Amino acid sequence: METRFSYANIYRNYLHGVYLQDLIEFNDKMKLLLAGRYDHYNLQYARTTANDGKNECDTPPVDDFARILNNSFTSRAGLVSLPLPGFSL
């Protein structure tokens, strides 16, 4: 049994991110951790007609792709206390 396709959905998914972190030491007993991450998300999708009902299709022009764009920033901070050797809070 042969399946014939009438259309195809084409998806392109891009995700780029940057992460930065720093540990600041005030003295031997106090440290501060600071970090941040930035992400950029780009999803592109389009529908096109299959060639002669086969499992093949032509890539549509760039302008035919719908786009979903999103950005996010997340942060992180922590204070570390070392009151005794080998013990931290």
Side-chain angles (χ1 to χ4, degrees):
M1 181 173 154
E2 184 177 324
T3 303
R4 300 190 62 77
F5 296 94
S6 57
Y7 65 90
N9 292 318
I10 299 174
Y11 292 90
R12 296 175 180 168
N13 192 10
Y14 304 96
L15 177 63
H16 303 282
V18 175
Y19 181 77
L20 298 173
Q21 177 177 306
D22 194 13
L23 181 65
I24 303 167
E25 296 184 23
F26 296 111
N27 55 43
D28 291 342
K29 297 190 181 219
M30 282 297 239
K31 299 177 183 182
L32 177 66
L33 174 72
L34 298 173
R37 179 178 176 91
Y38 174 78
D39 290 301
H40 175 74
Y41 177 76
N42 180 357
L43 172 66
Q44 301 174 1
Y45 60 94
R47 178 178 279 191
T48 186
T49 305
N51 294 337
D52 298 325
K54 297 178 183 175
N55 192 9
E56 299 173 357
C57 65
D58 295 326
T59 302
V62 173
D63 293 339
D64 288 354
F65 280 83
R67 290 172 175 78
I68 297 173
L69 301 173
N70 198 2
N71 300 304
S72 66
F73 179 79
T74 53
S75 60
R76 179 179 177 184
L79 185 61
V80 180
S81 174
L82 302 159
L84 301 171
F87 183 73
S88 63
L89 299 173

